[in-house]
Amino acid sequence: MEDKKHQTVRKKWCAYTDWIKSGLQVKHWMFLLLLGVGLLCLGTFFLSATTPFSLLHLHKPTLYWLSPSRLAYLSLLIGASSLGSGLWQLKRALSTPFTADGTRPYQQHKQGARIAVIGGGHGQATILRGLKNYTRNLTAIVTVADDGGSSGRLRREMGILPPGDFRNCIAALADDEALTTRVFQYRFRTNAGLDGHSFGNLFISAMFGVTGSFEDALLESSRVLAVQGRVVPSTLEAVQLAADIQQATGAVTRVRGESQIPQAHGDILRVCLEPISPPAYPGAVQAILNAEMVIVGPGSLYTSILPNLLVPEITKAIRASRALKVYICNLATQPGETDGYTAERHLETLTAHLGANLFDVIVLNNKFSIGKLPENADWIRPEIKHQPGLRSIQTDLTSAQTTWQHDSQKLAQSIMELLP
C-alpha cells in the first residue's frame, strides 16, 4: 500500500516537473523568449541614444556606420522575431504536455522507451495504437505468413510479401488517425477487379513496384503517413505456414496455408514454416537486441504469433536481449484455432514450439462479460500454474465497443507500468 501511495505522489510530482525536461525543449524556447526581450530592451536603449557610441567608447571610424538608430532597428527586429518565435513554440510545447493519466506523450523520435512489438493482425495494431502515446521508439515486427484475402491475392499475383498486417500497423502508428488513415484502410466494394482490396494494400504494392524493394515500400508508406516508429518484417523470405492437425478420427494431416489452418476443423498439434529456418530480417533482430521491452502479442497464437517466433534468429535475439520480455494473452479463444484453450494452454503451446522461460511477464484479462462473445468463442481464464521467473499481471483489458478485444489505452497503460 505504501509503495502505491509513493508511486502516486511520484507521478503527480513528475506531472508538474516533466515540462522542464529536455524532451519538450521548453528550456530552449524560454531562452529564445528571454533573448527576444533582451534585444527589445537593447533596441529601445539605442533608439534613445543621442551620441554615437558615447556610452560604448567605440571610436573606430570604420564602425561609425553603426549608428544608434540602425542598431536600434536591428535589435528591435531580431528581438521581435525571437520573442514571437519563443512564445509560439512555448505555447506549442505546453499545449498538450500530458495524457489523461498524467504521463507525458513524447514529442521527438529519439524519446521514449525502446519497445519491439512482435505479432500480426488486429491485435498488434491495437497495442501499437495505445503505445504511441507513450513512446515513438516503437518497432513493429510483423509476420509475413498471411495468404488470405487481399494480401493473399497480391502475394500470388505480384510476388510481394503480404501487405495487410503491415498496412494495419502503419495506420495504427500514423501521426493522424483521421481522414488519411481512413483512406489507407478503405476497402473497395466494386466489381472492377478491385473488389476486396484495401487502398493501403494497393498503395504498398505500388510502392513496391516503384522502389523494387519491400523494405523501401514500407519506409515510403510510413513516411507518407508520418508514422511514429518503424514497421519491419520478421523475415523477407516468402514463407508458408504449415500445421499438423489431428482430426476427430485420430488421423493427423498436414495443412498448408495460414488461411486454411483454422478451417481444418481439428486439434492443431504443431505449426512450422516452409522453408524451415528462414533468415531473419536484420532490422528486426537489431530492434529486439536494442529494446528495453519486447512484447509478443496479442494476436492469433498459431497464425500471427508463432510465425514470427519460428524464425530462429528472432527467438534467439529475444533470449539474448536484456529487455523485459512480455507476453500478452488474448481475451477470448479463436474458433478453429484455440478452442477450449486456457492461458496455461497458450504458454504450454509456446513452450512446446520455442522452449521454456522465454518470457518474464504474462499479461492477462480478468474481466468477463456474459453473452458478449462471438459464436463458438469463450473467455480465456487467467489462471496459470506458478512458474519460477514468470510474473503474472491480471487486470481489466476489455474494450467498451468489442469486449472480446483489448482496449488499446488500458493495455498500453498496463504495459508502461512494467517499465522502471
Side-chain angles (χ1 to χ4, degrees):
M1 181 66 70
E2 189 63 32
D3 289 341
K4 286 188 176 180
K5 184 183 290 187
H6 177 72
Q7 289 177 3
T8 302
V9 172
R10 183 175 178 271
K11 283 184 178 180
K12 287 183 178 180
W13 174 253
C14 289
Y16 291 111
T17 59
D18 273 1
W19 67 275
I20 64 170
K21 293 181 181 178
S22 59
L24 295 175
Q25 291 191 334
V26 170
K27 290 183 290 186
H28 296 71
W29 308 132
M30 288 183 66
F31 174 77
L32 189 63
L33 188 150
L34 292 174
L35 178 64
V37 172
L39 288 173
L40 286 175
C41 293
L42 186 64
T44 304
F45 165 75
F46 277 117
L47 200 60
S48 62
T50 56
T51 306
F53 309 107
S54 58
L55 296 178
L56 296 179
H57 304 287
L58 297 175
H59 301 294
K60 293 183 179 180
T62 54
L63 295 177
Y64 270 84
W65 64 273
L66 289 173
S67 66
S69 59
R70 287 176 178 173
L71 281 175
Y73 293 135
L74 183 62
S75 297
L76 290 172
L77 179 62
I78 297 176
S81 300
S82 300
L83 181 63
S85 179
L87 285 171
W88 170 255
Q89 295 291 358
L90 193 61
K91 176 181 178 296
R92 185 180 178 188
L94 294 176
S95 59
T96 55
F98 308 111
T99 59
D101 63 348
T103 54
R104 177 162 56 100
Y106 296 91
Q107 304 297 317
Q108 293 182 330
H109 287 277
K110 290 184 178 180
Q111 289 188 307
R114 298 183 302 278
I115 301 178
V117 182
I118 303 173
H122 294 288
Q124 187 176 22
T126 296
I127 188 171
L128 292 173
R129 190 174 292 111
L131 287 175
K132 75 177 183 181
N133 293 317
Y134 296 87
T135 176
R136 294 193 174 187
N137 271 330
L138 286 169
T139 302
I141 300 173
V142 185
T143 175
V144 296
D146 188 9
D147 68 348
S150 170
S151 292
R153 288 167 56 191
L154 292 170
R155 181 176 182 173
R156 291 186 294 271
E157 294 169 8
M158 294 186 60
I160 187 176
L161 291 177
D165 288 342
F166 294 92
R167 180 199 79 237
N168 288 332
C169 291
I170 289 172
L173 289 173
D175 192 44
D176 179 14
E177 282 194 88
L179 180 61
T180 305
T181 304
R182 287 172 57 194
V183 170
F184 208 64
Q185 294 282 52
Y186 176 78
R187 195 170 294 274
F188 292 94
R189 306 293 182 189
T190 69
N191 294 318
L194 297 178
D195 190 30
H197 283 303
S198 70
F199 176 79
N201 284 0
L202 297 177
F203 186 87
I204 294 174
S205 300
M207 281 292 188
F208 172 74
V210 170
T211 63
S213 163
F214 191 75
E215 304 166 71
D216 292 338
L218 292 177
L219 184 63
E220 291 302 317
S221 300
S222 299
R223 183 181 61 80
V224 168
L225 289 186
V227 163
Q228 303 176 25
R230 292 191 303 155
V231 181
V232 300
S234 55
T235 177
L236 290 174
E237 192 84 13
V239 297
Q240 182 181 46
L241 187 65
D244 293 331
I245 298 180
Q246 187 174 37
Q247 305 297 333
T249 60
V252 177
T253 58
R254 172 64 64 95
V255 177
R256 291 178 172 85
E258 177 267 339
S259 61
Q260 300 302 312
I261 292 173
Q263 310 300 324
H265 304 294
D267 294 330
I268 302 174
L269 302 179
R270 192 170 185 85
V271 293
C272 65
L273 295 178
E274 295 179 349
I276 298 175
S277 301
Y281 176 64
V285 173
Q286 193 64 43
I288 293 170
L289 294 176
N290 290 337
E292 297 171 58
M293 178 186 289
V294 175
I295 299 172
V296 175
S300 302
L301 176 62
Y302 288 105
T303 54
S304 290
I305 302 301
L306 280 169
N308 288 298
L309 302 178
L310 288 173
V311 178
E313 292 172 334
I314 295 294
T315 301
K316 288 180 181 178
I318 294 175
R319 292 193 181 277
S321 175
R322 296 183 178 181
L324 183 70
K325 294 111 180 183
V326 181
Y327 173 60
I328 301 172
C329 192
N330 289 347
L331 273 62
T333 60
Q334 294 180 272
E337 189 166 334
T338 56
D339 299 281
Y341 274 42
T342 61
E344 182 68 29
R345 182 75 182 275
H346 279 74
L347 282 177
E348 289 173 351
T349 300
L350 290 167
T351 299
H353 284 80
L354 310 167
N357 305 318
L358 185 62
F359 302 106
D360 302 310
V361 180
I362 179 171
V363 179
L364 303 161
N365 174 61
N366 63 1
K367 182 180 179 181
F368 313 104
S369 302
I370 300 175
K372 293 186 177 181
L373 284 174
E375 187 178 358
N376 298 324
D378 197 6
W379 294 107
I380 295 175
R381 298 294 168 176
E383 293 80 11
I384 61 171
K385 297 176 184 177
H386 173 71
Q387 296 184 24
L390 179 65
R391 181 155 55 114
S392 174
I393 303 294
Q394 300 184 19
T395 186
D396 172 21
L397 298 173
T398 57
S399 168
Q401 288 73 36
T402 51
T403 56
W404 63 90
Q405 294 179 336
H406 288 90
D407 179 275
S408 61
Q409 297 305 320
K410 290 180 182 178
L411 183 56
Q413 184 175 348
S414 298
I415 289 298
M416 295 305 295
E417 288 176 355
L418 296 174
L419 288 171

